């Protein structure tokens, strides 16, 4: 019985200090950052592959890259069309996203840190609303339930950032390369 209690205590302790593997948006806020393990690659290799991923996935990679510290950090400013939609009085209203993320590199891992997220009206891009990663009271009621108008927003934000992370990870690991034709 004593061993079972010790094992249970160790499991609870270990799980409380484990890092998330996905971005999550809850009533307590949005995940601060994600660390993704990349076995057997040095920081320099992950950095180089990340630059290549940006060049292949963004229309204007030189404009997207806002800051680099060679082999340590890259900051990008990206854009996503219709990343979230909501029904307003029976009409589907979609917003585009403008986001800034910082990607840091260490041997065998990288960290994605969302810095900023803005929702933009596609009909009038000068109208934007900034997302506060720590203030969720406009999305959740006092009971912790999602408000009707914003019920899809948390999963849309999760989908956006988890999609970026998954795409980068797959690129670095070589999992999403097209089969090259023998030309």
């Amino acid at each position: 019985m004593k061993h079972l209690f010790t094992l249970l205590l160790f499991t609870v302790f270990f799980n409380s200090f484990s890092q998330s593997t996905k971005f999550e948006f809850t009533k307590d806020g949005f995940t601060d950052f994600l660390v993704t393990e990349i076995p057997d690659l040095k920081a320099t290799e992950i950095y180089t592959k990340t630059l290549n991923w940006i060049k292949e996935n963004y229309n204007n990679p030189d404009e997207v890259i806002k800051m680099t510290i060679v082999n340590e950090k890259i900051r990008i400013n990206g854009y996503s069309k219709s990343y979230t939609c909501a029904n307003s009085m029976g009409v589907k209203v979609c917003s585009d996203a403008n986001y800034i993320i910082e990607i840091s590199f260490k041997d065998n891992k990288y960290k994605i840190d969302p810095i900023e997220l803005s929702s933009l009206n596609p009909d009038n891009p000068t109208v934007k609303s900034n997302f506060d990663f720590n203030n969720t009271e406009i999305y959740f009621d006092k009971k912790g339930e999602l408000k009707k108008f914003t019920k899809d927003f948390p999963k849309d934000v999760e989908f956006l950032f988890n999609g970026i992370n998954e795409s980068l990870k797959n690129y670095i690991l070589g999992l999403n390369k097209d089969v090259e034709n023998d030309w």
Side-chain angles (χ1 to χ4, degrees), residues 152-178:
D152 293 329
F153 186 74
K155 74 174 173 49
D156 293 339
V157 174
E158 291 172 350
F159 185 79
L160 173 69
F161 288 111
N162 285 324
I164 292 167
N165 184 55
E166 194 68 25
S167 175
L168 176 57
K169 180 176 94 174
N170 288 341
Y171 185 90
I172 291 169
L173 294 173
L175 299 176
N176 60 351
K177 298 215 178 207
D178 293 333

Side-chain angles (χ1 to χ4, degrees), residues 48-67:
T48 300
K49 288 182 180 230
T50 300
L51 282 176
N52 291 339
W53 171 78
I54 293 168
K55 291 175 184 176
E56 287 192 31
N57 286 282
Y58 289 90
N59 292 335
N60 299 306
D62 293 334
E63 292 177 23
V64 169
I65 298 172
K66 296 301 178 187
M67 181 270 299

Side-chain angles (χ1 to χ4, degrees), residues 115-178:
I115 306 296
E116 186 177 301
L117 173 63
S118 300
S119 293
L120 307 170
N121 179 335
D123 297 327
N124 186 358
T126 58
V127 176
K128 70 177 190 175
S129 61
N130 292 327
F131 173 68
D132 183 346
F133 290 101
N134 298 311
N135 182 5
T136 63
E137 64 188 34
I138 65 170
Y139 307 104
F140 293 90
D141 62 21
K142 292 183 189 310
K143 295 178 186 175
E145 302 291 323
L146 283 165
K147 294 179 180 176
K148 186 175 182 179
F149 182 74
T150 63
K151 68 179 175 67
D152 293 329
F153 186 74
K155 74 174 173 49
D156 293 339
V157 174
E158 291 172 350
F159 185 79
L160 173 69
F161 288 111
N162 285 324
I164 292 167
N165 184 55
E166 194 68 25
S167 175
L168 176 57
K169 180 176 94 174
N170 288 341
Y171 185 90
I172 291 169
L173 294 173
L175 299 176
N176 60 351
K177 298 215 178 207
D178 293 333

Side-chain angles (χ1 to χ4, degrees), residues 2-27:
K2 184 177 178 181
H3 295 291
L4 182 61
F5 179 73
T6 304
L7 180 62
L8 181 62
L9 187 62
F10 177 74
T11 303
V12 170
F13 178 77
F14 179 75
N15 286 336
S16 67
F17 287 99
S18 64
Q19 292 180 344
S20 296
T21 58
K22 297 236 181 250
F23 285 105
E24 294 179 349
F25 183 171
T26 68
K27 66 181 172 106

